[in-house]
Amino acid sequence: SEFIESSFCHFDSPEIVPIVDVGNLKVAELWHGLTGSFKDIALGLVGKLVNYFLSKKGQHATVLVSTAGNTGSAVARCLAGSNHADVIVMYPKERVDRVQELQMCTVAADNVTVYATVGSSCEDNDVILR
C-alpha cells in the first residue's frame, strides 16, 4: 500500500487513471503523471520497487536508458533522488519532442545524467547492449 500511494502521489488526479465518457465510449486518461505519459503509471511503481530492493540488499545500480522520448523522462523522474540507483538517459539529439527533451534535461537530481546523442535511439540501444 505504501509503495502504491507514494508511486502515484504526484499524479494530478485523485483517481490516478480517471475513466471518462466520450460519446458512447469509456476512455481511460493515462496522462496524469509527472511526465504526462502512460509510462508514469508503471514506472512510478517500478522506481519505488527498484529503490526498495537495492536498499534492502545494500546495493547500488546504474540504470541505462535509451529513449526516443517519454521512457527516458519517466525513468529519470521515477528514480530521481534515489540513493541506490543512478540513471543515465540517452536520447537522439533533435529527434525528440521539445517537451520530452525538457522533461529529461530538467530533472534536478544528482543521480540523473542525460546525454543527447548523434544518431537514433536504435543506435543508442546498440551501445547499451554491447
Side-chain angles (χ1 to χ4, degrees):
S1 170
E2 172 189 331
F3 286 120
I4 294 185
E5 287 179 26
S6 66
S7 297
F8 303 121
C9 68
H10 297 292
F11 276 57
D12 65 9
S13 171
E15 297 93 2
I16 311 302
V17 179
I19 307 294
V20 298
D21 293 318
V22 177
N24 295 343
L25 301 173
K26 298 272 188 200
V27 177
E29 294 181 346
L30 303 176
W31 60 82
H32 291 280
L34 288 173
T35 69
S37 167
F38 70 95
K39 294 180 181 185
D40 294 328
I41 296 166
L43 291 173
L45 180 58
V46 168
K48 298 291 184 193
L49 292 171
V50 165
N51 202 48
Y52 171 79
F53 286 109
L54 288 171
S55 171
K56 193 167 177 85
K57 292 183 174 193
Q59 295 178 339
H60 187 277
T62 300
V63 178
L64 300 173
V65 181
S66 167
T67 185
N70 53 16
T71 301
S73 55
V75 172
R77 299 276 174 185
C78 80
L79 287 171
S82 171
N83 294 323
H84 303 285
D86 290 326
V87 179
I88 298 172
V89 178
M90 298 184 306
Y91 71 94
K93 185 177 183 176
E94 299 176 356
R95 292 188 175 190
V96 299
D97 180 278
R98 181 73 176 141
V99 171
Q100 293 169 331
E101 181 178 32
L102 287 170
Q103 286 177 339
M104 289 182 274
C105 294
T106 58
V107 175
D110 291 338
N111 69 314
V112 176
T113 305
V114 179
Y115 295 101
T117 62
V118 177
S120 69
S121 58
C122 292
E123 291 167 320
D124 292 343
N125 283 339
D126 291 342
V127 170
I128 289 174
L129 294 173
R130 285 187 201 154

